[in-house]
């Protein structure tokens, strides 16, 4: 799984550089997110602009990270979620779990 | 049984790296479904997803992880219906025993069959001594 | 015969509108051929082309234009070889009698088999009373 | 087959608005080109920027138009030929038949 990392204010941004998240690479994603949390990051932003497709295991990976970071009173925020991917968050009502913003700047303005 | 129009029959090893091939074939098939009156871009996504979920389950629950172990995915397009059959050689399961999603208490697993049921019109799982078949269908009008 | 890795088996009506589905499946398969050491983007184009040409011929020379008439395209991937078989129900032909391209005097037809021969390693056409088979293969190393 | 037409100086430009030319739409292309020639156009430019893929029947359609226009001492010029499509013209040595230019402007500057 191709991931890139950037630090913006208090946030650690994880940019997913893949068109597709499925059971083949969702394990890597989960591991990378959990690793960031274990390193002490409490404010994660996952940047999904490249992601055209996500399956249930991909949602599961994000949810696992959310649960871990939430237990430590941190935050996991999603940005740039494409319409068809967003529809899957809506269908599973995971829109009620994750903070979802259109743009990275919206997060920085809001929380900054 | 309707009139068969075309079919795609794929056999892959039980390896998740082949999921994207299966998903992409599903997307491409959606483009050819001219009798479908709904949103074809959405249908392409849905078939990609449903094929990915069903195949991932067959891979996950395969009996062995021998490189010779395979999953067969048969996609049949009839005039008014699309039928997907995924054949697995695992221990099988009972669809009736699959818990519905608990929206109030989301879990990391158990969403695959939920998506399949939501996007498609019927789902059936049949076990035989030789092979198990997940059969999914969607009306095309 | 090598070790089979995966296969895609497609049946379509004898209609040119399905050529793009076949071609796209070829492109997608190229993406999964990790043992191929050459240019995979080029291989994707070549498989798209070869499958399109071979399937177009089978459609063009089908015995009837009944909507029930079909063409079967079988793509088998082995560890070191890719094999395409296209089954047609037409009158058949003899590969030996196909004229080579006359570069000095270009014609509008006759380029299909030239592309197939150029991009692939071997081409064979077998006629039986039931079905004719164009079998094309390419080494994957 | 989606085609668009533009007139530039003495040239009639036929813009092919398809990613793929194969036996399903090459008949339409041939007909459209022959029609333009029958209408009296002698300077045709076929604009192939959108075309990612062409098969033998597509090459045949262009060749049929070339032969007809050439018989009447007209010209058929190809512009914006993508690399993989160009490779097929090279393999069949049709690069020796057609005038191929990178850009429309190159044609206009050269012949204009
Ligand atoms: N092919 C299969 N073979 C055996 N059990 C299966 C199969 N497909 C699904 N199941 C069972 O159904 C449950 C729900 O499947 P699913 O909704 O896809 O979620 P997940 O795979 O994330 O658990 C699985 O946990 C498993 O017990
Ligand atoms: N499946 C087939 N059945 C019968 N004849 C065929 C078949 N494929 C090719 N041929 C013969 O071989 C010739 C050359 O084929 P090809 O190179 O594809 O060019 P084209 O189809 O443009 O003529 C055809 O004209 C035809 O006579």
């Amino acid at each position: 799984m191709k991931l890139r990392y950037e630090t913006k204010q208090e946030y650690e941004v994880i940019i997913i550089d893949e068109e597709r998240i499925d059971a083949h690479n969702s394990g890597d994603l989960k591991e990378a997110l959990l690793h960031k949390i274990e390193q002490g990051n409490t404010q994660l932003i996952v940047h999904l602009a490249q992601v055209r497709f996500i399956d249930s295991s991909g949602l599961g990976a994000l949810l696992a990270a959310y649960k871990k970071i939430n237990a430590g009173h941190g935050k996991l925020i999603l940005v740039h979620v494409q319409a068809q991917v967003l529809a899957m968050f809506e269908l599973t009502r995971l829109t009620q779990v994750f903070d979802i913003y259109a743009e990275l700047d919206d997060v920085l303005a809001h929380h900054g | 049984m309707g009139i068969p129009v075309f079919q795609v029959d794929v056999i892959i090893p039980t390896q998740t790296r082949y999921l994207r091939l299966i998903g992409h074939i599903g997307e491409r098939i959606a483009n050819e479904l001219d009798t479908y009156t709904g949103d074809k871009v959405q249908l392409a996504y849905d078939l990609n997803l449903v094929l990915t979920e069903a195949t991932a389950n067959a891979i996950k629950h395969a009996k062995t992880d021998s490189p010779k172990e395979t999953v067969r995915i048969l996609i049949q397009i009839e005039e008014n219906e699309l039928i997907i059959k995924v054949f697995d050689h695992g221990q099988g399961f009972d669809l009736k025993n699959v818990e519905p999603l608990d929206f109030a208490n989301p879990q990391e697993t158990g969403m695959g069959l939920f998506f399949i049921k939501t996007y498609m019109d019927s789902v059936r799982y049949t076990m035989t001594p030789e092979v198990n078949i997940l059969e999914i269908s969607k009306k095309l009008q």
Side-chain angles (χ1 to χ4, degrees), chain A, chain B:
Chain A
M1 156 135 311
K2 275 183 247 139
L3 300 171
R4 286 184 297 123
Y5 304 101
E6 274 175 22
T7 307
K8 291 265 175 187
Q9 296 175 9
E10 73 266 41
Y11 297 99
E12 183 69 9
V13 185
I14 295 105
I15 302 159
I16 303 185
D17 217 359
E18 299 274 353
E19 284 203 355
R20 183 175 163 95
I21 307 177
D22 66 18
H24 191 55
N25 56 11
S26 58
D28 288 354
L29 174 62
K30 179 169 158 180
E31 228 173 80
L33 293 173
L34 295 184
H35 184 67
K36 280 285 169 201
I37 300 166
E38 280 152 19
Q39 284 181 320
N41 292 291
T42 59
Q43 309 292 321
L44 292 190
I45 297 178
V46 181
H47 190 295
L48 290 155
Q50 297 301 319
V51 179
R52 238 175 33 81
F53 177 88
I54 192 167
D55 79 348
S56 67
S57 74
L59 296 179
L62 294 172
L63 190 58
Y66 165 81
K67 286 186 176 183
K68 187 172 180 103
I69 207 163
N70 194 51
H73 305 290
K75 272 199 170 295
L76 189 140
I77 295 166
L78 309 179
V79 297
H80 286 284
V81 186
Q82 292 195 23
Q84 291 182 313
V85 171
L86 187 61
M88 294 181 60
F89 284 92
E90 283 163 355
L91 194 64
T92 50
R93 303 200 202 157
L94 290 175
T95 40
Q96 295 170 12
V97 170
F98 294 102
D99 285 325
I100 301 177
Y101 288 83
E103 306 269 345
L104 197 54
D105 283 348
D106 297 343
V107 182
L108 303 179
H110 195 271
H111 293 252
Chain B
M1 288 283 287
I3 304 161
V5 178
F6 67 99
Q7 74 168 45
V8 180
D9 193 353
V10 187
I11 299 175
I12 55 166
T14 51
Q15 294 169 17
T16 52
R17 51 166 296 200
Y18 293 101
L19 289 173
R20 67 173 183 181
L21 175 65
I22 301 299
H24 283 137
I25 289 176
E27 280 192 327
R28 282 295 164 188
I29 285 174
N31 286 325
E32 306 309 329
L33 301 178
D34 282 359
T35 57
Y36 186 68
T37 51
D39 177 348
K40 269 214 260 183
V41 174
Q42 187 59 47
L43 182 65
Y45 191 97
D46 298 349
L47 290 185
N48 187 345
L49 181 65
V50 163
L51 282 163
T52 299
E53 298 291 352
T55 306
N57 277 345
I59 290 171
K60 190 160 37 173
H61 300 285
K63 201 157 273 160
T64 68
D65 54 5
S66 146
K68 283 196 194 131
E69 178 91 9
T70 57
V71 172
R72 177 178 170 205
I73 302 102
L74 173 62
I75 308 160
Q76 294 176 303
I77 290 82
E78 301 182 349
E79 194 128 21
N80 303 315
E81 192 169 15
L82 182 141
I83 299 154
I84 295 169
K85 291 180 187 152
V86 178
F87 301 74
D88 79 70
H89 303 274
Q91 82 284 5
F93 74 115
D94 190 336
L95 258 181
K96 286 196 299 298
N97 294 341
V98 174
E99 298 283 332
L101 281 203
D102 179 357
F103 292 117
N105 182 22
Q107 298 300 314
E108 293 156 42
T109 58
M111 289 181 277
L113 279 167
F114 168 76
F115 286 129
I116 294 173
K117 287 179 190 162
T118 304
Y119 288 126
M120 305 291 280
D121 293 322
S122 84
V123 184
R124 205 161 65 190
Y125 192 77
T126 319
M127 290 168 65
T128 74
E130 296 81 38
V131 69
N132 307 314
I133 310 178
L134 181 75
E135 184 173 342
I136 319 168
S137 74
K138 187 174 179 73
K139 293 265 170 286
L140 287 179
Q141 275 172 337

